[in-house]
Amino acid sequence: MAMAWGCALCLALAGGALLALLVQLLRWLRADGDLTLLWAERWGKKPEHELRGKVVWVTGASSGIGEELAYQLAKLGALLAISARREDELQRVKKKCLQISSLSENDILVLRLDLTDRSSHEAATNSVLKHFGKIDVLVNNGGRSQRSLFVDTSLDVYNAIIELNYLGTISLTKYVLNHMIQRKKGKIVTVSSVMGIMGAPLATGYCASKHALQGFFNSLRTELTDYPEISIIQICPGPVQSQIIQNVFTENLAKSIENSGDQSHKMPTDRCARLTLVSVANGVKEAWISDHPYLAVCYLWQYAPTWAWWLMNRMGKRRIQNFKSGIDADASYSRKKK
Ligand SMILES: NC(=O)c1ccc[n+]([C@@H]2O[C@H](COP(=O)([O-])OP(=O)(O)OC[C@H]3O[C@@H](n4cnc5c(N)ncnc54)[C@H](O)[C@@H]3O)[C@@H](O)[C@H]2O)c1
């Protein structure tokens, strides 16, 4: 018994020491992305060269990461189809894209799209093809997160999360991929999450949907080996400034979150979007984009899951406490504590 406790203690200490070492190393490298991605940012292809003149369709472009992607893509001269449910918000995004870039009216297509309305996805794809003649890059970005404990949450919420984040995404992918297969080229980029790699409390349904996307696209990639010019790219951000918390699913579909808390401690949206575009330009198959400790936890989760679970149990408790006391669930771990 004493020996078992001793082993457990050694394991815990070794896990803690390994994580601390990893955090220090990644901090020293000023890492806010995985090492392959940061390598690509420093020495790889530049989005300015790779994406200029390309037709890029971004879903969930009315706020947050998708909105910022639209601005950065417009600045570097990509032709844009921007989609979400609220057309007035998309028109606002289009107007700003036109102000900050040399694109003209016809270079940006505003296309209203509800990802959960799967019967509309074929027609939407045809609209983009009619307008631009091709789709070079699809960015599957639209989605919603969750803040509620499983025991309190209606199964309808789980159904809605899967409908939107998983089925909506793969449905649109199916139509766009058919076109890319005909052309034998294209890039399908999906904004997954670090929650597609690890688990976290208050987000069981969200984590499940992002894990589903990871499994789906990792398998799809292996079905496309006859098409070496079709890339499947998974973007896994940690906490990023956006509207995501205001828009989360809670324990029932009719309820919004009462207090979304301060988001300013999270990674700036423009940094996440820039690293996403670096990943697209370089065909990075899976990119982790996050500040610490989530970035270090990704490595731990990948290479030493037992230690990762031990750590997540501790981080998870704080996450729930934070949420219940009305501050952002991730506030305790971020660079700037709130
Ligand atoms: N912000 C983060 O901390 C973070 C971290 C990891 C992953 N992500 C992922 O990034 C993506 C973008 O989220 P964000 O952080 O910018 O949040 P956000 O809420 O600001 O943006 C989400 C976008 O998705 C759209 N959307 C929601 N439901 C839709 C539907 N039914 N049909 C079409 N569009 C719909 C929204 O209108 C909005 O444009 C999501 O997939 C999210 O899971 C975000």
Side-chain angles (χ1 to χ4, degrees), residues 63-313:
S63 71
I65 298 170
E67 178 178 353
E68 180 61 29
L69 280 172
Y71 298 146
Q72 294 194 17
L73 283 161
K75 274 190 200 157
L76 56 80
L79 309 179
L80 283 172
I82 49 175
S83 289
R85 289 159 303 170
R86 294 166 298 167
E87 199 167 334
D88 51 337
E89 286 299 308
L90 292 172
Q91 291 296 353
R92 174 184 63 76
V93 173
K94 174 172 178 173
K95 198 170 159 201
K96 185 165 169 196
C97 285
L98 291 173
Q99 282 164 359
I100 60 173
S101 73
S102 53
L103 295 182
S104 56
E105 184 69 30
N106 245 2
D107 295 335
I108 305 176
L109 174 68
V110 163
L111 186 65
R112 197 195 160 276
L113 177 87
D114 185 339
L115 281 166
T116 62
D117 181 8
R118 281 183 263 141
S119 63
S120 69
H121 292 181
E122 185 172 16
T125 306
N126 289 337
S127 300
V128 181
L129 290 175
K130 191 168 167 214
H131 190 87
F132 291 113
K134 62 172 185 170
I135 300 167
D136 293 301
V137 182
L138 168 67
V139 184
N140 287 314
N141 168 72
R144 287 174 65 188
S145 188
Q146 176 192 8
R147 285 289 182 273
S148 60
L149 294 170
F150 172 63
V151 287
D152 302 330
T153 306
S154 148
L155 271 188
D156 294 343
V157 171
Y158 287 85
N159 195 43
I161 294 176
I162 291 293
E163 277 287 339
L164 170 59
N165 292 359
Y166 178 61
L167 290 174
T169 298
I170 70 165
S171 162
L172 195 63
T173 296
K174 193 168 176 64
Y175 294 110
V176 176
L177 185 61
N178 281 338
H179 160 70
M180 290 180 175
I181 284 175
Q182 279 167 19
R183 287 184 75 214
K184 296 190 167 53
K185 67 197 277 194
K187 294 183 178 187
I188 306 273
V189 183
T190 302
V191 183
S192 173
S193 171
V194 293
M195 299 294 178
I197 297 165
M198 61 179 74
L202 298 166
T204 46
Y206 179 69
C207 283
S209 71
K210 295 294 184 178
H211 274 70
L213 287 175
Q214 291 292 110
F216 173 82
F217 282 106
N218 284 338
S219 306
L220 177 64
R221 192 183 290 115
T222 64
E223 288 185 9
L224 295 171
T225 45
D226 287 342
Y227 302 94
E229 287 187 57
I230 297 181
S231 313
I232 301 292
I233 295 168
Q234 295 295 99
I235 305 295
C236 301
V240 174
Q241 291 171 21
S242 75
Q243 302 288 310
I244 196 159
I245 304 301
Q246 286 92 318
N247 294 331
V248 285
F249 287 102
T250 64
E251 54 270 29
N252 68 64
L253 289 175
K255 193 179 158 209
S256 311
I257 193 163
E258 280 155 24
N259 178 4
S260 52
D262 184 5
Q263 303 293 304
S264 62
H265 57 282
K266 298 184 175 180
M267 176 184 275
T269 328
D270 58 347
R271 179 64 181 154
C272 177
R274 176 66 191 176
L275 287 177
T276 299
L277 296 185
V278 169
S279 311
V280 178
N282 288 279
V284 175
K285 290 184 176 57
E286 181 172 304
W288 301 345
I289 300 173
S290 180
D291 289 323
H292 297 294
Y294 279 116
L295 182 61
V297 174
C298 279
Y299 278 98
L300 204 57
W301 205 276
Q302 190 94 346
Y303 299 113
T306 306
W307 290 339
W309 288 322
W310 174 83
L311 187 72
M312 263 328 262
N313 281 345

